[in-house]
Amino acid sequence: MNDLSEKNVPASALLVLGCPEVPVQQALALHIAFKFRKRGTAVHVTGNPAVLNLLKVSDPEKRYLPETSILEKCIKELVEKKRDPELCIVFAHSDAGITYAATMRHLLPASRLVVIIFGKDPEPLAALIDFPCEKIVEKAVHNPMQLRKKVNEVFGWAA
């Protein structure tokens, strides 16, 4: 199901971010959070302290990202069933991102899983995925526009 019209908007979404070395990740995370929150979805963002600090600087009033947590704490909450999002979006620009995506698939077998694979050479990373998920693959490091277009299409936000 790629259409997220108003009646198909998930109640909750989890965004899993990796290391912030590729700039498009933070811009797209804010874009996605804005789009879902505008439709009433509760958005939680998890990642390492560096990426969360970058997002806190970008959103000091927590308008787009009111709820964040360190990845290890979030994984513990998922294991303990304290968190159960309908949608999980994992950003992957390295092997670690693919591992996070596999972990999320294991912990959230009933949730929709979308993996956004990006960076200088995303195709080999995309080929590593051997579990059920939707993939958005785009060569993107500094310019998020083409990747944003694909994200918008997958989530039904295309203008």
Side-chain angles (χ1 to χ4, degrees), residues 15-74:
L15 278 61
V16 180
L17 281 63
C19 176
E21 72 183 69
V22 180
V24 298
Q25 176 180 242
Q26 288 78 250
L28 285 168
L30 286 168
H31 172 72
I32 290 168
F34 166 76
K35 290 288 199 174
F36 275 117
R37 286 182 48 76
K38 185 176 173 183
R39 288 160 176 77
T41 299
V43 176
H44 183 89
V45 178
T46 188
N48 68 31
V51 75
L52 294 179
N53 285 334
L54 284 169
L55 291 171
K56 287 175 186 175
V57 168
S58 300
D59 185 24
E61 293 182 359
K62 297 185 174 189
R63 290 180 186 214
Y64 306 112
L65 305 171
E67 191 179 342
T68 63
S69 67
I70 301 295
L71 185 59
E72 292 78 7
K73 179 183 178 205
C74 183

Side-chain angles (χ1 to χ4, degrees), residues 11 21 34 38 61 63 103 115 119 128 132 142 145 154 156 158:
E21 72 183 69
F34 166 76
K38 185 176 173 183
E61 293 182 359
R63 290 180 186 214
T103 300
V115 183
L128 295 175
H142 295 100
M145 301 313 283
V154 165

Side-chain angles (χ1 to χ4, degrees), residues 68-144:
T68 63
S69 67
I70 301 295
L71 185 59
E72 292 78 7
K73 179 183 178 205
C74 183
I75 288 173
K76 182 179 183 212
E77 291 174 350
L78 293 171
V79 168
E80 294 173 350
K81 305 292 185 206
K82 293 179 180 176
R83 184 174 303 283
D84 187 23
E86 290 178 30
L87 169 66
C88 181
I89 302 168
V90 179
F91 290 78
H93 66 87
S94 67
D95 293 355
I98 303 301
T99 301
Y100 294 148
T103 300
M104 293 303 137
R105 172 47 61 221
H106 175 73
L107 294 174
L108 300 167
S111 298
R112 179 181 182 194
L113 176 62
V114 178
V115 183
I116 301 174
I117 307 124
F118 59 100
K120 290 180 181 177
D121 193 18
E123 294 295 335
L125 282 176
L128 295 175
I129 295 177
D130 62 354
F131 48 87
C133 69
E134 296 172 58
K135 298 182 216 178
I136 302 172
V137 183
E138 181 66 35
K139 183 177 180 179
V141 177
H142 295 100
N143 184 349

